[in-house]
Amino acid sequence: MDNGRSLWASLVLLNLLITSRALLTPRISFPLGSPGRPLTVFNMSGVDNTTTLLLSNDENTLFVGARDSILALDISHPWAIDIKNRLDWSPTEKDLADCSMKGKKKTDCPNFVRVLQVLNSTHMYACGTFAFSPRCTYINTQNFALATGPSGKPEEGRGRSPYDPYQKNIAITVDGELYTGTVADYMGNRPVISRHLSEGSHVDLKLDDTPGWLEEPTFISSAFVRGEEKVYFFFSEVGREYDFLEKFTVSRIAQVCTSDVGGQRTLQKRWTTFAKAQLLCQAEKELPYNVLQDVFTLSPPEGASDEDTLFYGIFRPQWPINSGRSAVCAFSLGDIKAVFSGNYKVLNRDSLRWTTRVQEKIANPGECGLHNASDNTLRFVKENFLADASVQPTKRRITLASADQDYSNIAAQRVRAANGKEHTVLYLLTELGYLHKAVLLEEGAHIIEEVQVFRQPQPMKNLLLSLLKGSVFIGTSEGVTRVPLSNCSFYPNCAECVLARDPFCGWDHSRGLCADVSTIQGSTGQDVDGGNVSVACRAPPVVTPRSSRPTAASCELVLVSLNEVVRLKCPEASRLATRHWQRPNSRLSPDLYLKQQDGSLQFLATPITLGHYMCQAEENGFQQTLAIYQVKQKSSTTLHPPTTTRHQGKATVEVGKLAPTPRSVPPKQPDIRAKEPELAVTKKDANAGSTRRTGRNFTLWFDSSQAKQPRDSVGEEPLHGTQPSYLQELVVVSVLLALCISILLTIALYGLRQRCRGRTITQVCPRKDAERGTGAATPQERESLQGHSPRTAKCNGQAQNGQAQNGKSPISISNGSLSGSNGHLPNTPI
């Protein structure tokens, strides 16, 4: 029965996952090192695990807790991170030896700084794992040196810092007092929420050891709301109130009052204001995202009440079948207060089961001032600390859900657009090392861009937002990366600036560029909610800048041979745009054309497929042409071998000028260059002034000076004509045929004439001898035959300057007949 129930539950879960799966695609993607999104990275030799980050009060200095050291980095200058000071804080050799004897890895025994907080204007407070023996210290910020505490001895770190460097912990200082959430033993079995460094009438407090207060928690984050005088803790733990066969993880929010001093007899040196409730991040008809990853506190707008404070959290499901998904939910302080002021559950100490209390409510757990209450009241709050209701997300829906991203860290801010409306912008760090920048709209979240900030997945990382410096700082084991909040200069025209839907950026019609909204004085082209290009890019009547229009794609000539595979590339303007190919007055039949996943078009060169091709992109109702090609059959007289160079052992085509390409880099596609010819560009020809485009199997030519003009102006077929013309080829073939026939006739006539001349000389010469009746020639005749006769020299063709070669006549008369030196008649075939 149990097996059947488990199988049914698994099938229901799988069905819910399939029906609810949706993708959120970033519009632009910037790989690591992309020139379109420059970043500032700080790393230092010998410094690792720079994951604990803290901003100074003026936000000109970034303090970094690393392994065996604490850094002070200067971030006052934009696009720069410079080292100011470094403080070494490492265990002794004895501490490392003791750590190894406990069976711990040598790589886990150094001091990993896990707590770094500002106490006052002159000192900071730091805690570290210190070879699995936590310790804390004071730091003088004026000379950046270690300082001793009031006792004059090293501070005990138990209950303030974890033992294990891989255990999560939280810490926050309020008026010089330290509030922490961590484990208080070596084995990690005693979780505790406590207060340290108490001053005045305050005493150090911690949770009671009563079962049920904390159930195997994983501490995530903490926040202080001064108007409420409460510190809030966020963590995940096992939900004992749910009767499941397996452990069910729930996300919690807990609260304590900063004025709490513990009870007089009951709950002495224990929290009297501790209460906790469940955070429910769940979409309709879906299982909840129940494992909390990170929380960011967004202060209310100026002039609003504290109840408008929002807590943005990242949640994941605990089930392996649902892995790879994450969601963002927002919770308001007003809803949290309403849940804490409601009913509470009670824990049966005998059965360790939670039930809803039905008896009269004696006190409101979590209410400040209970430390002066009676023992009976304190016993009530000691047993009733779990709220009966769960905290629902704002608007009762998930803020953002991703089916293919594991988000780990979050930050948020409010940005005022050009029209005065405020938008919430989220910064989400993924496990794979990408930072997503998303704006929350009425129809859902829109991911403006993704920026790769590190290469390898990081086990421990941190995300810190600096509004004053306009940057996000990311701490990883590889170093600290600074990412500017806006990247307006990347967008080259008004259309792309508006389609980005970035509240930071708008099109400045007066200057003709995309700039930060706060720097624009005149009319601003921006539409964050709708992304309407036709309206936002409509220039004022006074100013009509040419650059406010999208850049037109230039036409490229592609010369191919018949029956050759042709591949035309289409650049990617945006990952949200839909690309399609068109031919004027023609339709692309799927029987002749193959559209690749990277947007390129592949087909076989035939008389039917020759002509013009256009690749167009459509995004949010706006359409633009990305590439124009004219495919023509090439002539054999214009062929040139492709020019290649060798680079790192690979043959690559020399690169010259290409048509405008997008600045974003599309995701990697399967390499099919070994099977298909690709278009590339070589250097310009100095004599012809044209650009030669060479591929693996064919050569392409087009005039670079006419690249942006229609082809009608250079004698090519117009853009709207698609029928190929063979007039020029017919004329060339006809002329060549006539020339060949003329040459053959000339050779034939010349040979016939030479034969006739030879026969005439052979008949005349013997006739003269016969008339004289002698068998020998006269001296005059002999002289004429020895080379002085023009007719004989012309027929012979071998006499030079009237003299025979080698002193002999090539022709002689013997026995009354004319013969050559070889015994045959001249001008006759041998």
Side-chain angles (χ1 to χ4, degrees), residues 145-176:
L146 298 179
T148 58
S151 62
K153 298 179 181 180
E155 293 280 330
E156 175 80 20
R158 184 174 59 181
R160 309 178 189 187
S161 171
Y163 288 74
D164 194 325
Y166 299 104
Q167 285 180 333
K168 291 186 177 182
N169 68 297
I170 52 180
I172 188 174
T173 54
V174 178
D175 299 330

mmCIF file of all heavy atoms in Angstrom, residues 145-176:
data_model
loop_
_atom_site.group_PDB
_atom_site.id
_atom_site.type_symbol
_atom_site.label_atom_id
_atom_site.label_comp_id
_atom_site.label_asym_id
_atom_site.label_seq_id
_atom_site.Cartn_x
_atom_site.Cartn_y
_atom_site.Cartn_z
ATOM 1 N N ALA A 145 45.117 46.801 12.308
ATOM 2 C CA ALA A 145 45.914 45.846 13.081
ATOM 3 C C ALA A 145 45.010 45.151 14.085
ATOM 4 O O ALA A 145 43.948 45.665 14.464
ATOM 5 C CB ALA A 145 47.064 46.553 13.787
ATOM 6 N N LEU A 146 45.437 43.974 14.519
ATOM 7 C CA LEU A 146 44.687 43.225 15.514
ATOM 8 C C LEU A 146 44.727 43.945 16.854
ATOM 9 O O LEU A 146 45.748 44.526 17.227
ATOM 10 C CB LEU A 146 45.247 41.810 15.656
ATOM 11 C CG LEU A 146 45.173 40.913 14.411
ATOM 12 C CD1 LEU A 146 45.801 39.556 14.709
ATOM 13 C CD2 LEU A 146 43.739 40.733 13.959
ATOM 14 N N ALA A 147 43.618 43.881 17.570
ATOM 15 C CA ALA A 147 43.526 44.525 18.883
ATOM 16 C C ALA A 147 42.871 43.556 19.860
ATOM 17 O O ALA A 147 42.032 42.739 19.470
ATOM 18 C CB ALA A 147 42.730 45.818 18.801
ATOM 19 N N THR A 148 43.268 43.659 21.125
ATOM 20 C CA THR A 148 42.697 42.800 22.146
ATOM 21 C C THR A 148 41.398 43.386 22.678
ATOM 22 O O THR A 148 41.165 44.595 22.619
ATOM 23 C CB THR A 148 43.688 42.619 23.300
ATOM 24 O OG1 THR A 148 44.014 43.909 23.833
ATOM 25 C CG2 THR A 148 44.948 41.919 22.815
ATOM 26 N N GLY A 149 40.544 42.518 23.188
ATOM 27 C CA GLY A 149 39.273 42.947 23.735
ATOM 28 C C GLY A 149 39.393 43.445 25.159
ATOM 29 O O GLY A 149 40.502 43.603 25.693
ATOM 30 N N PRO A 150 38.262 43.678 25.798
ATOM 31 C CA PRO A 150 38.282 44.168 27.192
ATOM 32 C C PRO A 150 38.980 43.205 28.140
ATOM 33 O O PRO A 150 39.594 43.629 29.120
ATOM 34 C CB PRO A 150 36.794 44.303 27.534
ATOM 35 C CG PRO A 150 36.118 44.462 26.207
ATOM 36 C CD PRO A 150 36.905 43.629 25.252
ATOM 37 N N SER A 151 38.906 41.909 27.863
ATOM 38 C CA SER A 151 39.565 40.940 28.747
ATOM 39 C C SER A 151 41.059 40.859 28.518
ATOM 40 O O SER A 151 41.781 40.306 29.357
ATOM 41 C CB SER A 151 38.945 39.553 28.544
ATOM 42 O OG SER A 151 39.142 39.100 27.219
ATOM 43 N N GLY A 152 41.544 41.391 27.412
ATOM 44 C CA GLY A 152 42.966 41.327 27.109
ATOM 45 C C GLY A 152 43.424 39.983 26.596
ATOM 46 O O GLY A 152 44.626 39.768 26.406
ATOM 47 N N LYS A 153 42.505 39.046 26.349
ATOM 48 C CA LYS A 153 42.837 37.717 25.871
ATOM 49 C C LYS A 153 42.128 37.462 24.536
ATOM 50 O O LYS A 153 41.171 38.150 24.206
ATOM 51 C CB LYS A 153 42.410 36.663 26.894
ATOM 52 C CG LYS A 153 43.107 36.785 28.255
ATOM 53 C CD LYS A 153 42.585 35.711 29.207
ATOM 54 C CE LYS A 153 43.258 35.836 30.565
ATOM 55 N NZ LYS A 153 42.766 34.806 31.525
ATOM 56 N N PRO A 154 42.589 36.471 23.787
ATOM 57 C CA PRO A 154 41.875 36.122 22.539
ATOM 58 C C PRO A 154 40.428 35.739 22.829
ATOM 59 O O PRO A 154 40.124 35.063 23.816
ATOM 60 C CB PRO A 154 42.680 34.939 21.998
ATOM 61 C CG PRO A 154 44.037 35.082 22.607
ATOM 62 C CD PRO A 154 43.822 35.687 23.966
ATOM 63 N N GLU A 155 39.543 36.197 21.969
ATOM 64 C CA GLU A 155 38.117 35.974 22.168
ATOM 65 C C GLU A 155 37.739 34.545 21.779
ATOM 66 O O GLU A 155 38.188 34.021 20.760
ATOM 67 C CB GLU A 155 37.316 36.969 21.327
ATOM 68 C CG GLU A 155 37.467 38.419 21.774
ATOM 69 C CD GLU A 155 36.591 38.734 22.964
ATOM 70 O OE1 GLU A 155 35.522 38.123 23.096
ATOM 71 O OE2 GLU A 155 36.990 39.603 23.760
ATOM 72 N N GLU A 156 36.913 33.939 22.612
ATOM 73 C CA GLU A 156 36.365 32.620 22.293
ATOM 74 C C GLU A 156 35.372 32.759 21.155
ATOM 75 O O GLU A 156 34.500 33.637 21.178
ATOM 76 C CB GLU A 156 35.690 32.019 23.527
ATOM 77 C CG GLU A 156 34.997 30.705 23.278
ATOM 78 C CD GLU A 156 35.945 29.521 23.253
ATOM 79 O OE1 GLU A 156 37.061 29.654 23.792
ATOM 80 O OE2 GLU A 156 35.577 28.471 22.694
ATOM 81 N N GLY A 157 35.450 31.887 20.161
ATOM 82 C CA GLY A 157 34.589 31.998 18.997
ATOM 83 C C GLY A 157 33.439 31.026 18.959
ATOM 84 O O GLY A 157 32.669 31.007 17.991
ATOM 85 N N ARG A 158 33.285 30.213 19.998
ATOM 86 C CA ARG A 158 32.208 29.231 20.002
ATOM 87 C C ARG A 158 30.849 29.931 20.079
ATOM 88 O O ARG A 158 30.651 30.849 20.872
ATOM 89 C CB ARG A 158 32.354 28.296 21.192
ATOM 90 C CG ARG A 158 31.325 27.174 21.214
ATOM 91 C CD ARG A 158 31.606 26.194 22.329
ATOM 92 N NE ARG A 158 31.608 26.853 23.633
ATOM 93 C CZ ARG A 158 31.846 26.215 24.793
ATOM 94 N NH1 ARG A 158 32.127 24.926 24.770
ATOM 95 N NH2 ARG A 158 31.831 26.886 25.935
ATOM 96 N N GLY A 159 29.925 29.531 19.242
ATOM 97 C CA GLY A 159 28.610 30.157 19.172
ATOM 98 C C GLY A 159 28.586 31.421 18.327
ATOM 99 O O GLY A 159 27.527 32.017 18.150
ATOM 100 N N ARG A 160 29.734 31.829 17.800
ATOM 101 C CA ARG A 160 29.824 33.024 16.975
ATOM 102 C C ARG A 160 30.256 32.680 15.548
ATOM 103 O O ARG A 160 29.830 33.328 14.603
ATOM 104 C CB ARG A 160 30.808 34.024 17.596
ATOM 105 C CG ARG A 160 30.522 34.305 19.064
ATOM 106 C CD ARG A 160 31.524 35.258 19.676
ATOM 107 N NE ARG A 160 31.351 35.343 21.137
ATOM 108 C CZ ARG A 160 31.995 36.187 21.905
ATOM 109 N NH1 ARG A 160 32.882 37.033 21.381
ATOM 110 N NH2 ARG A 160 31.788 36.198 23.215
ATOM 111 N N SER A 161 31.124 31.688 15.437
ATOM 112 C CA SER A 161 31.605 31.239 14.134
ATOM 113 C C SER A 161 31.485 29.731 14.067
ATOM 114 O O SER A 161 31.646 29.043 15.094
ATOM 115 C CB SER A 161 33.068 31.655 13.928
ATOM 116 O OG SER A 161 33.611 31.056 12.758
ATOM 117 N N PRO A 162 31.228 29.160 12.897
ATOM 118 C CA PRO A 162 31.163 27.694 12.780
ATOM 119 C C PRO A 162 32.552 27.086 12.908
ATOM 120 O O PRO A 162 33.582 27.750 12.749
ATOM 121 C CB PRO A 162 30.578 27.483 11.390
ATOM 122 C CG PRO A 162 30.952 28.702 10.625
ATOM 123 C CD PRO A 162 30.936 29.828 11.618
ATOM 124 N N TYR A 163 32.577 25.801 13.233
ATOM 125 C CA TYR A 163 33.831 25.052 13.277
ATOM 126 C C TYR A 163 34.275 24.679 11.877
ATOM 127 O O TYR A 163 35.451 24.780 11.540
ATOM 128 C CB TYR A 163 33.656 23.789 14.129
ATOM 129 C CG TYR A 163 33.543 24.041 15.609
ATOM 130 C CD1 TYR A 163 32.377 24.568 16.153
ATOM 131 C CD2 TYR A 163 34.589 23.736 16.477
ATOM 132 C CE1 TYR A 163 32.266 24.791 17.524
ATOM 133 C CE2 TYR A 163 34.490 23.950 17.838
ATOM 134 C CZ TYR A 163 33.322 24.475 18.356
ATOM 135 O OH TYR A 163 33.230 24.694 19.705
ATOM 136 N N ASP A 164 33.337 24.200 11.101
ATOM 137 C CA ASP A 164 33.610 23.711 9.744
ATOM 138 C C ASP A 164 33.524 24.878 8.763
ATOM 139 O O ASP A 164 32.544 25.626 8.777
ATOM 140 C CB ASP A 164 32.598 22.640 9.366
ATOM 141 C CG ASP A 164 33.001 21.847 8.145
ATOM 142 O OD1 ASP A 164 33.609 22.438 7.229
ATOM 143 O OD2 ASP A 164 32.697 20.639 8.082
ATOM 144 N N PRO A 165 34.532 25.053 7.895
ATOM 145 C CA PRO A 165 34.469 26.174 6.935
ATOM 146 C C PRO A 165 33.353 26.046 5.920
ATOM 147 O O PRO A 165 33.023 27.026 5.243
ATOM 148 C CB PRO A 165 35.853 26.140 6.262
ATOM 149 C CG PRO A 165 36.347 24.747 6.454
ATOM 150 C CD PRO A 165 35.793 24.290 7.767
ATOM 151 N N TYR A 166 32.756 24.852 5.782
ATOM 152 C CA TYR A 166 31.687 24.659 4.812
ATOM 153 C C TYR A 166 30.300 24.808 5.426
ATOM 154 O O TYR A 166 29.309 24.703 4.714
ATOM 155 C CB TYR A 166 31.821 23.283 4.164
ATOM 156 C CG TYR A 166 33.126 23.102 3.422
ATOM 157 C CD1 TYR A 166 34.145 22.338 3.992
ATOM 158 C CD2 TYR A 166 33.350 23.703 2.194
ATOM 159 C CE1 TYR A 166 35.359 22.171 3.332
ATOM 160 C CE2 TYR A 166 34.552 23.544 1.534
ATOM 161 C CZ TYR A 166 35.557 22.779 2.103
ATOM 162 O OH TYR A 166 36.749 22.625 1.450
ATOM 163 N N GLN A 167 30.210 25.040 6.723
ATOM 164 C CA GLN A 167 28.925 25.271 7.359
ATOM 165 C C GLN A 167 28.525 26.734 7.220
ATOM 166 O O GLN A 167 29.357 27.631 7.379
ATOM 167 C CB GLN A 167 28.983 24.891 8.843
ATOM 168 C CG GLN A 167 28.974 23.407 9.101
ATOM 169 C CD GLN A 167 29.027 23.095 10.586
ATOM 170 O OE1 GLN A 167 29.536 23.876 11.377
ATOM 171 N NE2 GLN A 167 28.507 21.934 10.954
ATOM 172 N N LYS A 168 27.246 26.962 6.912
ATOM 173 C CA LYS A 168 26.756 28.321 6.755
ATOM 174 C C LYS A 168 26.445 28.927 8.112
ATOM 175 O O LYS A 168 26.055 28.220 9.056
ATOM 176 C CB LYS A 168 25.505 28.335 5.874
ATOM 177 C CG LYS A 168 25.776 27.982 4.422
ATOM 178 C CD LYS A 168 24.530 28.159 3.573
ATOM 179 C CE LYS A 168 24.820 27.879 2.109
ATOM 180 N NZ LYS A 168 23.628 28.091 1.247
ATOM 181 N N ASN A 169 26.602 30.231 8.208
ATOM 182 C CA ASN A 169 26.318 30.950 9.440
ATOM 183 C C ASN A 169 25.846 32.352 9.083
ATOM 184 O O ASN A 169 25.987 32.812 7.936
ATOM 185 C CB ASN A 169 27.553 31.026 10.327
ATOM 186 C CG ASN A 169 28.638 31.916 9.725
ATOM 187 O OD1 ASN A 169 29.162 31.618 8.646
ATOM 188 N ND2 ASN A 169 28.970 33.010 10.393
ATOM 189 N N ILE A 170 25.271 33.044 10.051
ATOM 190 C CA ILE A 170 24.806 34.421 9.859
ATOM 191 C C ILE A 170 25.273 35.252 11.042
ATOM 192 O O ILE A 170 25.420 34.752 12.168
ATOM 193 C CB ILE A 170 23.270 34.493 9.722
ATOM 194 C CG1 ILE A 170 22.584 33.767 10.876
ATOM 195 C CG2 ILE A 170 22.825 33.922 8.401
ATOM 196 C CD1 ILE A 170 21.082 33.800 10.816
ATOM 197 N N ALA A 171 25.506 36.532 10.785
ATOM 198 C CA ALA A 171 25.946 37.448 11.836
ATOM 199 C C ALA A 171 25.557 38.866 11.440
ATOM 200 O O ALA A 171 25.619 39.237 10.251
ATOM 201 C CB ALA A 171 27.454 37.352 12.052
ATOM 202 N N ILE A 172 25.164 39.659 12.439
ATOM 203 C CA ILE A 172 24.812 41.046 12.224
ATOM 204 C C ILE A 172 25.037 41.797 13.531
ATOM 205 O O ILE A 172 24.841 41.247 14.621
ATOM 206 C CB ILE A 172 23.340 41.184 11.756
ATOM 207 C CG1 ILE A 172 23.041 42.615 11.351
ATOM 208 C CG2 ILE A 172 22.381 40.672 12.806
ATOM 209 C CD1 ILE A 172 21.660 42.799 10.740
ATOM 210 N N THR A 173 25.492 43.032 13.436
ATOM 211 C CA THR A 173 25.717 43.856 14.616
ATOM 212 C C THR A 173 24.655 44.951 14.687
ATOM 213 O O THR A 173 24.317 45.566 13.664
ATOM 214 C CB THR A 173 27.110 44.506 14.592
ATOM 215 O OG1 THR A 173 27.283 45.218 13.367
ATOM 216 C CG2 THR A 173 28.194 43.453 14.739
ATOM 217 N N VAL A 174 24.144 45.167 15.863
ATOM 218 C CA VAL A 174 23.167 46.218 16.124
ATOM 219 C C VAL A 174 23.624 46.977 17.366
ATOM 220 O O VAL A 174 23.698 46.392 18.459
ATOM 221 C CB VAL A 174 21.751 45.637 16.344
ATOM 222 C CG1 VAL A 174 20.763 46.761 16.651
ATOM 223 C CG2 VAL A 174 21.311 44.846 15.126
ATOM 224 N N ASP A 175 23.964 48.234 17.178
ATOM 225 C CA ASP A 175 24.423 49.085 18.281
ATOM 226 C C ASP A 175 25.575 48.450 19.044
ATOM 227 O O ASP A 175 25.625 48.454 20.291
ATOM 228 C CB ASP A 175 23.264 49.384 19.245
ATOM 229 C CG ASP A 175 22.126 50.131 18.568
ATOM 230 O OD1 ASP A 175 22.409 50.894 17.623
ATOM 231 O OD2 ASP A 175 20.967 49.937 18.964
ATOM 232 N N GLY A 176 26.523 47.884 18.326
ATOM 233 C CA GLY A 176 27.710 47.309 18.941
ATOM 234 C C GLY A 176 27.532 45.919 19.494
ATOM 235 O O GLY A 176 28.505 45.346 20.020
#
